[in-house]
Amino acid sequence: MQNEQYIDKIFVYGSLMQGMENHFLLAPYVKTVNPATVRGRLLELTGEGYPMLFSGDEIVHGELVYLTDAATALALLDPLEGFVGPGDPRNYYERCLVAVTDQQGGEANAWVYLCPPQAEARCWAAGEPIVSGNWRTVIAQGQARHKIETNQQA
């Protein structure tokens, strides 16, 4: 596997994707974005308005983002995602490397934020599986259990 300090890609599957509410944080560091998939399970955290990725064997759809300055981008995203450090019990999301598959079938290692192992049972009990593995589908079909418009009132 590549040396972690040289990984300049991140796989995003929720609010950091293009057109979603937190993409503006990532946008200044984006070189290119390509549709891609990872293996896992996707869950909507009921009432939160965003998904969480878990380990698993299902197909999860998102975007493979090539970054111009990965260190700076990750330093900005880590607090948003509640990532304190590898394996830290305070992590809301764990940041780790995963194999990502692009539309042409090519694979690359990329960073991803996923549910830490110590929180899986609690989070899974408080959410709803996203069977399609695609957060955009949930949003487009209006199936999100969170009222997005409430975010605009603040």
Side-chain angles (χ1 to χ4, degrees):
M1 184 173 288
Q2 259 178 295
N3 186 329
E4 290 181 6
Q5 71 184 37
Y6 298 112
I7 302 292
D8 64 348
K9 296 170 278 304
I10 185 169
F11 178 79
V12 296
Y13 54 88
S15 71
L16 291 170
M17 290 191 296
Q18 289 180 327
M20 298 294 181
E21 63 269 22
N22 288 323
H23 181 74
F24 75 96
L25 296 167
L26 189 57
Y29 307 101
V30 171
K31 188 185 313 180
T32 60
V33 178
N34 297 309
T37 60
V38 296
R39 291 284 180 177
R41 296 180 299 159
L42 202 57
L43 179 85
E44 179 185 350
L45 295 173
T46 305
E48 299 296 331
Y50 54 84
M52 184 172 267
L53 179 66
F54 292 75
S55 298
D57 291 324
E58 299 168 17
I59 300 291
V60 175
H61 301 269
E63 298 171 345
L64 179 58
V65 180
Y66 290 78
L67 302 167
T68 58
D69 183 350
T72 302
L74 293 171
L76 180 68
L77 296 177
D78 285 349
L80 172 74
E81 302 292 357
F83 176 71
V84 179
D88 192 298
R90 298 171 292 169
N91 286 343
Y92 187 74
Y93 282 89
E94 187 75 32
R95 177 166 47 88
C96 60
L97 291 173
V98 294
V100 181
T101 304
D102 65 24
Q103 285 187 316
Q104 291 74 38
E107 283 198 0
N109 291 321
W111 294 110
V112 69
Y113 292 97
L114 58 85
C115 184
Q118 70 270 16
E120 282 191 8
R122 176 179 44 81
C123 290
W124 200 255
E128 293 289 329
I130 299 173
V131 179
S132 68
N134 191 330
W135 181 243
R136 286 192 189 282
T137 300
V138 172
I139 296 297
Q141 293 175 349
Q143 294 175 347
R145 289 158 217 29
H146 177 77
K147 300 213 181 304
I148 301 298
E149 60 271 11
T150 61
N151 289 337
Q152 297 171 353
Q153 295 174 352

